[in-house]
Amino acid sequence: MLPMMLAGEAEARALLAQSLRAGRLHSAYIFAGGGEAPRQTALWFARALACTGAASADAADAAAADALPCESCPACRRSRPEAEPVALDGAGKSGPLLRHVGNHSDLVWVERGAGDTRLRIGQIRAVQNEFRLRPMEGGRRAAIIADAEWLNQEAQNSLLRLLEEPPPATSIVLVTAQPAGLLATVRSRCQRVRFPAARMASPLAPDAPPELRAQAERLAALPRAGVPKLLDWAEDFRGPRAPAAASVTELLATAAAWLHDTTCRAAESGESGAPVQRRLAAWHTLQSCRKALAQRNANPQMVAERALFALRNLLP
């Protein structure tokens, strides 16, 4: 696997700007982390790759990082993001499979379409088709694949062919909150830039939002709940897959935060042995549920059932 950089947004931009000026650029990157920082940095990086106006900036100038992109060259003017980007459709029916960054024909952005629960193989093939064409601007090209954890295995295998034989002067940036959801063969071909994890509020904190505290109380009651009650809760996640999957993703995030906090408290109280093993098993199940939801197009209600049963088994 290529080297990893650990950085906040400002540090990541400084390191990447240094690589740009030194000409040490990789054909593929993973920007890993939650929140908007990885996406915004990926957008900045793609525009900086295409920028021609700052190419001669003094690398020793401490303020030079702010010169990328320069915002004045023709490439920068064409790559300025639109206030309201075109919405994508993973099926290509009600919208395009991908869009360009601003009006720059060599900078491509891919993400889940509106209402889609995964990135589709057709979108990856559309990126491949873009890169079969000669560069229109004559400079470097880039593709940003946001929501990369929602690539299923078929789409990742298609992406792998692009990573194995990358076009010249092209960089592919995968933006993901969960890099473990990507195939090891994909991860091994990318340099990883890791952003600090975006921690959600503790469900056990006194100042936690009421809805979060209510869900934590419901999770805490699971080990004593009967199977019918658990199935009733999972029944809440029926319906159209997109909103159901979003709700289950939120449940898994809350459950993971609750399990983390309760495990820390248990460790402080001296708990050990079988209870700790059950907590670890539940944690691994939650991670597996996330992967199934993203990569295997699993039924959200069944994923919720599996997660809730795992949490119910915390106590003997």
Side-chain angles (χ1 to χ4, degrees), residues 5 12-20 29 31 41 44-45 193:
M5 293 186 287
R13 292 194 182 197
L15 289 168
L16 291 166
Q18 185 178 3
S19 296
L20 279 161
Y29 295 82
F31 287 9
T41 302
W44 168 86
F45 183 54
V193 181

Side-chain angles (χ1 to χ4, degrees), residues 11 13 28 40 45 53 65 70 81 91 103 107 120-123 138-140 145 150 162 178 204 240 256 264 273 301:
E11 292 84 354
R13 292 194 182 197
Q40 291 302 318
F45 183 54
C70 73
N103 292 316
L107 301 181
R120 298 173 182 262
I121 188 173
Q123 294 177 277
R140 291 195 64 87
I145 302 177
W150 296 99
L162 186 61
Q178 299 173 31
L204 303 180
C264 288
Q301 182 181 350

Side-chain angles (χ1 to χ4, degrees), residues 25 50 79 277:
L25 296 169
S79 69
Q277 295 301 319

Side-chain angles (χ1 to χ4, degrees), residues 223-277:
R224 298 176 296 278
V227 172
K229 192 171 184 179
L230 184 150
L231 294 176
D232 285 343
W233 189 354
E235 191 82 10
D236 294 345
F237 301 99
R238 293 187 65 182
R241 190 175 192 278
S247 296
V248 174
T249 299
E250 184 178 340
L251 169 68
L252 294 174
T254 302
W258 171 81
L259 185 57
H260 173 273
D261 292 349
T262 55
T263 301
C264 288
R265 292 188 179 188
E268 291 172 358
S269 68
E271 181 182 279
S272 61
V276 172
Q277 295 301 319

